[in-house]
Amino acid sequence: MAAAPEAKYTEETVLWVKRHTPKLITFAISRPEAYRFAAGQFSRLGFPDGEGFVWRAYSVVSAEYADTLEYFAVLIPGGAMSEKFAAMKAGDTILLDKAATGFLLPERFPDGSELVMLCTGSGIAPFLSILEQPEVWQRFERLVLAHSVSHANELIFNGRITALQQHPLVAEHAARLTFIPVLTRETSGATLYKRLPELLKSGELSTAAGFPFTREHTRFMLCGNPAMVKDTFQTLLDAGFAMHRNRIPGQILMENGF
């Protein structure tokens, strides 16, 4: 049963849950007709918990025009939300805050022709949504997605990214995307094998992308664990790039994945 109209959330139905590894899950929930978000934004999801609630923010994986809302979560041992997700199954009820939020939006860049998306773990979620929007392909001439995880079995979206080549709305542009899987604790099963900040410093990331990163043309979006975001941001600053602000255009947008 939906929440009262004056409530800040609605009660939605869990449509499916897929467990990829003991700690990685994707799931979809019903989408209220009035729910709006921009690709790159996140939802607040919640559950009743004792006499109160537990809420956490999760970036939307699905496209803006999708009929359902899909999410990607990394389960953390002992985490209040993770315990709820671990027991969650199709048909269960989940709470959805009525307002999406977040500023990891490629349209905030006023210029640039190359978009480089750097992420770790669940930080890939907003970029999966962005890549299903025709506008981003029309806006940028080259797109790069580098997804860094510890082990090869955590690269669960490789097939989804390949499937963009048959996507009805973006297939004609998909050849302009370079996907770079990165592993930090294994040495096979990916393209590169160091942390993203190190790959930037060494030039290996730009080599894998196929072009040099420049202040004039390249725009960066960072999302993932706070250590990666902090270190990658500093590496980009050291290389002469700057944070993008509303009144001061720059080359970097970033958001911690958790």
Side-chain angles (χ1 to χ4, degrees), residues 50-123:
E51 296 182 0
F53 301 90
V54 55
W55 292 94
R56 296 289 185 275
Y58 294 89
S59 294
V60 185
V61 173
S62 43
E64 292 178 16
Y65 45 81
D67 294 331
T68 63
L69 297 172
E70 183 179 347
Y71 301 92
F72 172 34
V74 178
L75 304 186
I76 301 170
M81 200 71 171
S82 294
E83 291 181 354
K84 301 288 188 181
F85 283 153
M88 187 172 67
K89 62 185 183 302
D92 286 351
T93 297
I94 190 169
L95 307 181
L96 172 68
D97 193 304
K98 289 182 177 179
T101 189
F103 300 97
L104 195 69
L105 308 171
E107 58 265 32
R108 291 183 61 201
F109 290 121
D111 55 9
S113 58
E114 303 156 355
L115 180 63
V116 178
M117 298 163 279
L118 306 178
C119 55
T120 55
S122 61

Side-chain angles (χ1 to χ4, degrees), residues 10-30:
T10 57
E11 295 181 357
E12 301 304 324
T13 301
V14 177
L15 302 175
W16 53 261
V17 180
K18 184 173 182 179
R19 291 173 170 82
H20 302 269
T21 74
K23 70 175 185 176
L24 303 182
I25 71 167
T26 51
F27 60 94
I29 68 174
S30 55

Side-chain angles (χ1 to χ4, degrees), residues 137 141-143 164-165 170-179:
W137 301 89
E141 297 174 10
R142 294 175 171 177
L143 294 94
L164 290 171
Q165 297 173 15
V170 306
E172 62 181 299
H173 309 294
R176 292 193 272 115
L177 171 67
T178 299
F179 175 53

